[in-house]
Amino acid sequence: MKIFSPVRAAFYAALFFFFSLIPTTLHSRYIDLDSIYIKDCGIYNDLQANRLLSYRKCGSVLVSPSAVFSQWVDGDKIAYISEKGPVSIVNMYSIREKRSVELYRFSGTATCALLSGNRRYLFIKSVTAGTNGVPVSHFYSLGLSDSSLITYKSSYPFLDFSVLIGTDNYITAAATGLSLHSPESTRKEGIAISEKEKEFLRNSESNILCLISPNRLNRLLMSGSGGYYKTLIVKDRSLRNITGIIGSSAETHWLDNRLIITRTGSPGHLSAELIDAHTGTRKRLIGGSFNTGITYSPYPGIVSILDNQIIRLYYHPSGRALNTGLEGEDVFFSPDGLHFTSIISGNLHIIRLQKIVLNRSELVSLSQKQVRLYNRLLQNKKLWQNQFTGDYILSKISSYRKFINQVD
């Protein structure tokens, strides 16, 4: 059977229709790619069962069966959002106490959630059905230590702000300029920018996002969503245009004061690339993926990239890579880099990274089973959902074989 109940599936179908009318930049929500390309059948169920079994083989801890976003607050606590019917709930899980505490609940569906740079506030965007069914968006700034709350209506229902490492402030961009916001009030102040930046902002026809490097000296301005982005890097008053960024500004991150990681390519053939902001040179980390789900955990310096849903890790600045063999999404690491969270089929898990290495042989065995199942699907077109299913199946087989053959 499919992951969602008919009621939940209908809700997401309606929500997806609304999303399709607006340029979207969802931060993270688990996507069951198999359900898009494969009909409901025994093989589909076996594929799902093997994915969940791989987590059990690694001794993962199940935090919640209905999570949509998660972030590490510190080495012990994880903030996450779960769903219960039409209500979204912000929770705090303690590894030491092995329990969750509810912090806040609100009506509607969370579309993105980010921790502030000092990890004391959780910023959330949500969408609800307003008067006459017209969607209404809200922004929430939630204090994690005291549950203090600032909320207001937002004109855009998806990610349209960024956070600064080392502060609790967040940044928004508009045609009129850049603004720095306090998480404790609706107060904001303007950020001085050059005439070229003002021109870029004025000429932007859709949502704008500003990403600032850790040393505050470099800025990346992005305009667009749901497709190709217009981008501008500002460094020491010099400007550089970056081309080829596609699909999601939430998958673009400064790794340091020079390197940016982002998603490029085309639908069904997506890549994760490093871009040098100083020279414009690029390095591809993965390619040919149906989704990339790029996340960055800055304190341990670990990037997570999805290779057709399989979690692959890139360590910055060493350049070391690791193919985990696990499927998942919304992957974030603890500050010490020893544990990570992952959401699969709505289930939020905590995994100790060492267990991936220690249980590799069992994960390889499960991966080989997945390859055999996908090969069976390849031979039975009656189980295909659409004309793209064949390409999808071949991509999944290729990604699993990379893990089996120890390709990092």
Side-chain angles (χ1 to χ4, degrees):
M1 65 188 290
K2 297 290 186 184
I3 291 174
F4 297 126
S5 67
V7 174
R8 173 64 69 180
F11 172 76
Y12 281 123
L15 194 61
F16 177 80
F17 175 73
F18 165 58
F19 286 176
S20 69
L21 300 180
I22 302 175
T24 62
T25 51
L26 284 176
H27 180 247
S28 227
R29 181 180 287 275
Y30 179 75
I31 301 171
D32 177 19
L33 288 177
D34 275 5
S35 67
I36 298 173
Y37 298 101
I38 301 168
K39 292 181 179 179
D40 196 350
C41 61
I43 296 178
Y44 170 89
N45 294 332
D46 289 343
L47 288 167
Q48 296 293 340
N50 286 337
R51 290 188 182 96
L52 297 177
L53 179 59
S54 67
Y55 278 78
R56 292 197 294 273
K57 293 291 185 181
C58 293
S60 69
V61 175
L62 177 63
V63 174
S64 170
S66 58
V68 290
F69 298 101
S70 69
Q71 295 269 309
W72 287 84
V73 178
D74 54 36
D76 175 57
K77 292 183 172 60
I78 298 165
Y80 69 94
I81 299 177
S82 59
E83 292 181 333
K84 188 175 182 180
V87 176
S88 295
I89 305 169
V90 182
N91 308 275
M92 186 76 79
Y93 179 81
S94 169
I95 296 176
R96 184 178 62 255
E97 298 177 2
K98 298 181 180 179
R99 68 186 185 97
S100 294
V101 175
E102 181 179 323
L103 300 183
Y104 181 70
R105 59 174 56 198
F106 57 91
S107 298
T109 298
T111 59
C112 67
L114 292 178
L115 275 183
S116 66
N118 278 341
R119 316 185 84 74
R120 298 194 306 164
Y121 294 86
L122 184 64
F123 303 133
I124 306 166
K125 296 293 289 289
S126 74
V127 64
T128 58
T131 306
N132 298 323
V134 178
V136 177
S137 176
H138 287 85
F139 175 89
Y140 300 89
S141 173
L142 178 66
L144 296 177
S145 61
D146 57 5
S147 294
S148 61
L149 181 70
I150 296 293
T151 182
Y152 54 83
K153 284 187 178 180
S154 174
S155 60
Y156 187 72
F158 308 106
L159 182 66
D160 60 354
F161 63 91
S162 61
V163 299
L164 279 172
I165 293 294
T167 79
D168 285 321
N169 298 323
Y170 62 95
I171 297 170
T172 59
T176 54
L178 305 179
S179 299
L180 186 69
H181 300 254
S182 165
E184 300 172 345
S185 71
T186 56
R187 176 175 52 86
K188 64 180 180 180
E189 60 184 71
I191 298 175
I193 59 176
S194 67
E195 286 301 319
K196 285 291 186 181
E197 289 174 279
K198 292 178 182 178
E199 180 183 357
F200 179 92
L201 295 174
R202 285 195 302 267
N203 294 332
S204 297
E205 298 178 353
S206 55
N207 180 53
I208 309 167
L209 196 70
C210 174
L211 303 176
I212 297 182
S213 62
N215 66 1
R216 315 288 196 270
L217 297 179
N218 308 317
R219 287 193 286 268
L220 174 63
L221 300 177
M222 305 179 64
S223 172
S225 46
Y228 289 95
Y229 283 78
K230 181 174 67 173
T231 59
L232 180 71
I233 290 179
V234 183
K235 173 190 174 292
D236 298 331
R237 298 184 180 179
S238 64
L239 307 174
R240 178 183 297 277
N241 290 307
I242 299 294
T243 60
I245 295 178
I246 181 175
S248 178
S249 54
E251 294 187 52
T252 302
H253 310 274
W254 286 96
L255 300 188
D256 53 31
N257 299 318
R258 182 166 183 153
L259 280 182
I260 296 166
I261 188 165
T262 191
R263 185 170 82 177
T264 62
S266 59
H269 302 278
L270 298 172
S271 302
E273 286 192 356
L274 294 175
I275 301 177
D276 189 315
H278 293 196
T279 65
T281 57
R282 299 171 180 244
K283 178 182 178 181
R284 179 178 294 180
L285 299 182
I286 72 160
S289 182
F290 273 68
N291 66 330
T292 50
I294 301 169
T295 61
Y296 180 50
S297 302
Y299 292 102
I302 303 176
V303 176
S304 169
I305 308 168
L306 303 185
D307 183 2
N308 293 303
Q309 213 66 46
I310 296 176
I311 302 167
R312 296 178 64 171
L313 307 177
Y314 172 82
Y315 291 77
H316 181 73
S318 70
R320 184 167 68 91
L322 176 66
N323 192 334
T324 69
L326 291 179
E327 291 199 33
E329 198 155 300
D330 204 32
V331 177
F332 289 98
F333 275 80
S334 58
D336 59 12
L338 298 180
H339 297 81
F340 66 93
T341 51
S342 174
I343 295 176
I344 182 168
S345 304
N347 298 296
L348 172 60
H349 294 265
I350 302 173
I351 304 98
R352 185 172 178 82
L353 187 58
Q354 186 182 26
K355 292 293 186 70
I356 299 289
V357 179
L358 294 177
N359 293 281
R360 177 178 166 77
S361 60
E362 292 185 82
L363 293 177
V364 167
S365 178
L366 282 171
S367 295
Q368 290 170 334
K369 289 181 180 179
Q370 298 292 76
V371 169
R372 289 194 290 270
L373 289 171
Y374 279 117
N375 272 319
R376 285 172 59 190
L377 286 169
L378 201 59
Q379 305 303 318
N380 190 349
K381 293 187 178 181
K382 292 181 179 180
L383 301 178
W384 294 16
Q385 285 277 34
N386 50 61
Q387 69 268 32
F388 305 108
T389 298
D391 288 338
Y392 170 73
I393 292 173
L394 290 173
S395 294
K396 293 290 289 193
I397 291 172
S398 174
S399 296
Y400 268 112
R401 282 177 173 164
K402 289 174 190 175
F403 173 67
I404 294 168
N405 297 324
Q406 297 188 356
V407 176
D408 293 327

